[in-house]
Amino acid sequence: MAGKQGQGGGVAARAADPAWDYAPAPESRDIVTIAAEYGLFTDGEFGPAADGRQFPTINPATEEPLARVALAGQPDVDRAVAAARAAYQRVWGPMPGAERAKYLYRIARILQERAREFAVLESLDNGKPIKESRDVDVPLAAAHFFYHAGWADKLEYAGLGSAPRPLGVAGQVIPWNFPLLMAAWKLAPALAAGNTCVLKPAETTPLTALLLAEVCQQAGLPPGVVNVLTGAGPAGAALVSHPGVDKIAFTGSTEVGKEISRAMAGTGKRLTLELGGKAANVVFDDAPVDQAVEGIVNGIFFNQGHVCCAGSRLLVQESVADTVVDRLKDRLGTLRLGDPLDKNTDIGAINSREQLDKISELTAAGEAEGAERWSPPCRLPEKGYWFAPTVFTGVSQSYRIAREEIFGPVLSVLTFRTPEEAVAKANNTPYGLSAGVWTEKGSRILWMAQRLRAGVVWANTYNRFDPASPFGGYRESGFGREGGRHGLAAYLDA
Ligand code: NDP
C-alpha cells in the first residue's frame, strides 16, 4: 500500500508495490490569486448583491474555504437581464458577425494564455484532478470559443435559413461538474449567434465562471453582453421565469430540468435541456480487451464519474465477462486517488458533501439489493470528500444502481449473450444521452449505432468531445443539441 501523498493527504489506490512509488508532483497554486470576496458580474462590472448577501465556496479536497461569493437575488436577476437586453439592442445584436468573431477569438486566446491559472482554480474549487482540468476542461473551453468565432460571420451558410436572427437574451444555468467548460458550451454559441447572456454557475463552483467574466473584461467585450450571477437554485429559478429572457439553456439534473420545463410551458421562450444519463458501455467478445478496459475506466472514472454521459453501466458479453472484470480490477488497482493538484492523481475529490451522501446512499442500496461490491485497496484522505472507485458485479437491471444516475465513481456490471440482448438492455433506461460500443467488427458498430437510443454513440472510444460535434440527449436526458451546426440552431430564429 502506498503512503500518503501531497497536500490533500491523498493515498494511492495502487496495490502494494514496495519496490517504488511516485514522488509527489503538486502543481503550484501560486499562479492563482483568490480574492477574499467576489461580486456579481453585471453590465461589465463586479459588484455586491443588492441585499449584500454572500455564500462561501470551499475546496472539496480539504474543506478549506476559498472565498465568499455574492448571492444573487431577484433584484440582481432583474438588473442583469436589463443589462443584457440593453447590450443586445444597442451593441451586440446590430454588430456585424465578423466583429463579434474578433471578441470570441480574443476570449479564446486569453483562455489559452491563462490556461494554467484556470486549471489550478478549477481543480481547487471543483476537486477534479489537475491533469484533467489542464488537458481537457481548459483546452476544450478555448476550442469552443475558437470554433464558434469561426461561425459568427457565416451564420447564413449554416443551412438554418438565409438570414438567421439571434433570439435576444439567453438565460443559462450550469452545473458543477465542468464549471468552465459548461460556461464555454453555453456562452460561445450564444454570442456567436448574436445573443447576449446571463449565466448562473452552480453554487459549489462559481470561481472559474467569475474568472471567465474577468477575461470578458480583459477582451474588451462590451458591458452587458455577458453577465454572471453567482447564487443558488432560487437565482436559477428567477432567471428561468424572468419575462425579459428569450431563451433558456439548462444543464443539470433531470429533476430540475422537469421543473424548468413546467415553469416555461406556454411562455413562448425557447428551451434546451441537457440532463442526466445512465449510459451503457457495451463490450463484445471480439473487442481488444486492454483497449476496452481503458475505455471503461475513462468512461466512468474520468472526473470522479461526475459526468452526465458517463459509461456507468458496463454491458459485457458473458463469454469474456470474467476476463474483462479481472483486467479492470487490475487496472483500478493502479489508479491514484488524492490531492487534485498532484499531477499524478487520477481520481480527485467528490464535489460536495451532498453529492458524497448521494453516492453513499445509492451504493448502500446496491449492496442491500444483492450486488457484489468491490474497490481496490484504498485509504481515503481524512479531510475532504472522497469516494473510492467502486465496481458492482451481479447487478440486475431492476437494481437502483442500474437505473439511477449515481454521478460518482461507481460502475455497475451487467452481462449479455447476443447483440439483440445488448441493445435491449442498453435501451432499458429512461435516459438516452450516450453509449459506447467495443468490437472489432465495423458492421456491428453500425448495427448497434442504429439501434441504441442515445444522442451520442462512441465506438472503440469513450468521452470524446469536440466543439464541432453535436451533443445532447433523448427522453429524460433532455432535448436540443450543443456544439456543431446543430448547437447554433438553438440560438437562432431561422
Ligand atoms: P441541479 O440540477 O440542482 O443543478 C444544476 C444547476 O441548476 C445549478 O446551477 C443549480 O443551482 C441550478 N438550479 C437548482 N434548482 C434550480 C431551479 N429550480 N431552477 C433553475 N435552476 C436551478 O443539480 P445538483 O447540483 O443539485 O445535482 C443533483 C444531481 O443532479 C446530481 O447528484 C447528479 O445526479 C445530477 N446532475 C447531473 C448533471 C448532468 O450534467 N447530467 C449535472 C449536475 C448534476 P445550485 O448549484 O445553486 O443548486
Side-chain angles (χ1 to χ4, degrees):
M1 182 75 232
K4 286 202 165 198
Q5 301 281 338
Q7 163 232 344
V11 180
R14 189 182 172 85
D17 178 357
W20 65 280
D21 196 4
Y22 289 85
E27 175 71 65
S28 165
R29 58 183 281 181
D30 293 349
I31 187 135
V32 171
T33 308
I34 301 180
E37 296 187 349
Y38 287 88
L40 309 170
F41 184 66
T42 312
D43 209 9
E45 286 177 5
F46 289 94
D51 60 9
R53 287 203 295 164
Q54 293 181 322
F55 64 97
T57 185
I58 64 158
N59 177 347
T62 59
E63 299 173 60
E64 149 212 17
L66 292 171
R68 295 191 63 75
V69 179
L71 182 79
Q74 185 69 51
D76 305 300
V77 176
D78 292 343
R79 204 169 148 247
V81 172
R85 173 66 55 197
Y88 173 67
Q89 285 169 344
R90 292 197 204 123
V91 198
W92 200 248
M95 188 184 284
E99 292 303 309
R100 288 200 306 271
K102 290 180 191 170
Y103 289 101
L104 293 181
Y105 278 125
R106 225 176 273 166
I107 292 170
R109 284 196 299 266
I110 299 172
L111 272 171
Q112 288 184 322
E113 279 163 21
R114 301 178 70 172
R116 238 180 94 212
E117 189 183 350
F118 270 100
V120 171
L121 189 61
E122 194 75 309
S123 285
L124 285 171
D125 204 19
N126 170 281
K128 64 175 69 199
I130 186 75
K131 72 175 179 192
E132 291 181 6
S133 46
R134 181 195 64 198
D135 297 347
V136 181
D137 298 60
V138 179
L140 268 178
H144 269 268
F145 280 100
F146 276 121
Y147 172 79
H148 287 96
W151 269 120
D153 62 346
K154 302 176 196 70
L155 297 173
E156 59 269 42
Y157 309 113
L160 303 167
S162 57
R165 291 179 314 277
L167 299 172
V169 175
Q172 306 176 313
V173 181
I174 56 172
W176 44 263
N177 52 342
F178 293 94
L180 174 70
L181 185 58
M182 285 305 108
W185 276 32
K186 295 284 178 282
L187 295 176
L191 297 178
N195 304 275
T196 55
C197 303
V198 180
L199 177 81
K200 211 291 281 172
E203 191 179 343
T204 57
T205 53
L207 296 184
T208 47
L210 292 168
L211 189 58
L212 184 59
E214 195 185 306
V215 166
C216 291
Q217 270 183 331
Q218 195 183 342
L221 195 71
V225 173
V226 167
N227 305 272
V228 178
L229 293 179
T230 47
L239 182 58
V240 165
S241 57
H242 200 288
V245 171
D246 302 295
K247 189 238 152 65
I248 291 293
F250 173 79
T251 298
S253 61
T254 296
E255 195 190 347
V256 173
K258 285 180 181 173
E259 243 177 77
I260 290 176
S261 274
R262 279 192 290 270
M264 286 183 57
T267 62
K269 290 180 199 166
R270 295 266 288 266
L271 175 65
T272 41
L273 294 175
E274 205 270 88
L275 309 176
K278 192 74 192 175
N281 204 357
V282 185
V283 178
F284 284 95
D285 58 5
D286 63 341
V289 176
D290 289 333
Q291 249 172 280
V293 164
E294 286 310 302
I296 296 163
V297 170
N298 177 32
I300 183 62
F301 299 111
F302 170 62
N303 202 31
Q304 295 73 246
H306 300 328
V307 184
C308 48
C309 52
S312 51
R313 284 184 299 149
L314 172 64
L315 297 186
V316 56
Q317 198 151 13
E318 202 175 87
S319 51
V320 291
D322 289 346
T323 311
V324 170
V325 171
D326 285 350
R327 297 248 197 120
L328 176 66
K329 288 180 174 177
D330 284 349
R331 178 68 178 94
L332 293 183
T334 69
L335 293 183
R336 300 178 62 80
L337 176 149
D339 181 6
L341 285 189
D342 192 306
K343 291 171 213 159
N344 292 322
T345 293
D346 300 299
I347 309 238
I350 300 302
N351 180 248
S352 65
R353 161 76 56 199
E354 291 69 36
Q355 190 58 28
L356 181 58
D357 290 346
K358 185 183 163 195
I359 299 168
S360 305
E361 195 247 318
L362 273 165
T363 45
E367 273 183 286
E369 284 180 311
E372 191 177 318
R373 179 178 185 156
W374 180 90
S375 289
C378 183
R379 258 187 304 131
L380 305 178
E382 278 142 28
K383 284 216 107 176
Y385 313 130
W386 304 94
F387 201 87
T390 300
V391 176
F392 279 103
T393 47
V395 177
S396 287
Q397 294 184 82
S398 58
Y399 292 178
R400 285 181 69 196
I401 51 169
R403 289 185 290 117
E404 296 181 30
E405 185 179 49
I406 300 176
F407 228 59
V410 181
L411 178 69
S412 298
V413 183
L414 298 96
T415 57
F416 66 90
R417 290 185 181 167
T418 63
E420 289 76 10
E421 190 186 349
V423 169
K425 284 186 167 166
N427 288 340
N428 185 14
T429 168
Y431 295 109
L433 191 54
S434 58
V437 180
W438 296 84
T439 172
E440 239 175 25
K441 263 190 163 178
S443 58
R444 183 175 281 159
I445 291 171
L446 296 175
W447 190 89
M448 289 292 289
Q450 276 171 345
R451 287 161 181 79
L452 291 170
R453 298 177 68 198
V456 180
V457 179
W458 284 293
N460 294 328
T461 186
Y462 207 92
N463 272 341
R464 224 165 242 282
F465 305 101
D466 189 291
S469 173
F471 181 91
Y474 295 109
R475 299 185 286 176
E476 296 213 356
S477 292
F479 50 80
R481 294 292 177 264
E482 298 192 282
R485 200 179 63 81
H486 301 73
L488 283 174
Y491 287 99
L492 287 168
D493 203 355

